[in-house]
Amino acid sequence: MIGRVLGLGRALAEAGAPVSPAELVDALRAVAALEDLARSPLRAALRATMVKDVSALPIFDVLFDIYFPMANPTDQDLAELDDAAMRAELEVALRDGDDERLAALAAAAVERFGEVHSGAAVAGAYYAYRTQRGLDLERVREELLAGLARPHDAELDWREREREARRRLQSFSRHIDDAVRARLARERDPDELAHSLGLRIADDVDIMNASREELAAIREAVRPLAAKLVARLERRRTRRGGPLELRRTIRRSLSTGGVPLEPVFRPRRPHRPDVVVLTDISGSVASFARFTLQLLWALAGELRRLRAFAFIDAVDEVTPLVGGSWDLDAALRAVAERAAVVGKQGHSDYGAVFAQFEERFVDAVSPRTTLIVLGDARANYHEPRAEVLDRLARRARATHWLNPEPARYWDSGDSVMGAYAPSCTSVVECRTLAQLERFVEEVL
């Protein structure tokens, strides 16, 4: 038991949610105090003592199932069904939304179709794929759509049924993933299995290389991160700390015999910058641009003004299209359809974009403006025209460049980051939400 608790702590640290020695001691004491070592109270005790941030809870749940796997939950009745009968049971459970039955069916299907071999290397995704193929989920989806149908459905109703069928099948696929992990956890070394999954908390996931599931987790993490930053910025601007007001301090000290027990400070003048965001939305950095814009717009109340400009090899203002929208996917689709961001080439051309921006939108940049450029500075071997960015930077209060590529790749191939860096107040490698959070807090 002690070894598994310590292994869980190591796996959490590897995933970016470190557990301190004191918290490990608390976890072991909590386990020792349990009268019942069933999985439910054990999970609650370890979660309360080892998890400090809500963003780490999904990873904790996965790792707990690896280090403390369930006993084989296969239902013998389901195991005796033939393939057709198992699919029929699955269709009924999906129509009824019976989550407990779906979990049991997933476990039985993994045993039948997954063909998990105890001596083989860890290959959870492959076993899940074989299970889904064995169940023929495409046929199940068609049967589910037919079962959800109502007489005289309109096209809108049909689309709604299709979305609902997709949602239920995705939920069942997660049950299959859980069943595969449980099956592997009963036979494999938990440290090896945990390491093979490559789990990372959303704040530390590389946005440029994130999977679909990781992008969904990052999307969910942006809103609470924005709320936390707003509260932190508000506290910073309202706390005492302006210049000492000497005359009022002396006047107040007369009531205490001339001793200035209560110094008087001038109110701190809040700095609310104008922010202009100039973002590359080409395919290579689109995900990074999406989450950065989403976070900045959540902080718009802390800024005097926020304007957004998007580009590929032409630039256009997109403030009305993305401003205030939490659905940044839809907003960026609107940008691609309605904004003039594609020129002659259709590939990033930073030099041409900066020249167009200076010609059309130079009035957006003033001595009050903080200019933020989002992009990888890969100009596809076009002329960088760094002198144009330098002129814009001289007009601005500060210029910051956020580059989602690792710094070791800058100035390699068609990257011209080195040409632009001298004009910038800072050039920051920014690939994760944690790095983005640090930048926003320091700059704003």
Side-chain angles (χ1 to χ4, degrees), residues 198-218:
L199 298 173
R200 300 293 297 172
I201 62 173
D203 287 0
D204 290 330
V205 171
D206 185 342
I207 295 174
M208 295 276 282
N209 299 310
S211 66
R212 182 181 302 175
E213 293 77 12
E214 288 171 333
L215 287 175
I218 293 171

Side-chain angles (χ1 to χ4, degrees), residues 27 71 77 141 177 179 183 197 206 218 230 246 268 286 298 327-328 340 366 371 387 390-391 394 427 434:
D77 293 337
R141 186 185 76 87
D177 293 339
R183 178 74 163 77
L197 294 177
D206 185 342
I218 293 171
V230 167
L246 188 59
R268 181 186 283 249
D327 188 355
L328 261 291
S366 72
L371 177 62
E387 72 281 359
D390 188 63
R391 288 197 294 269
R394 291 176 185 276
V427 179

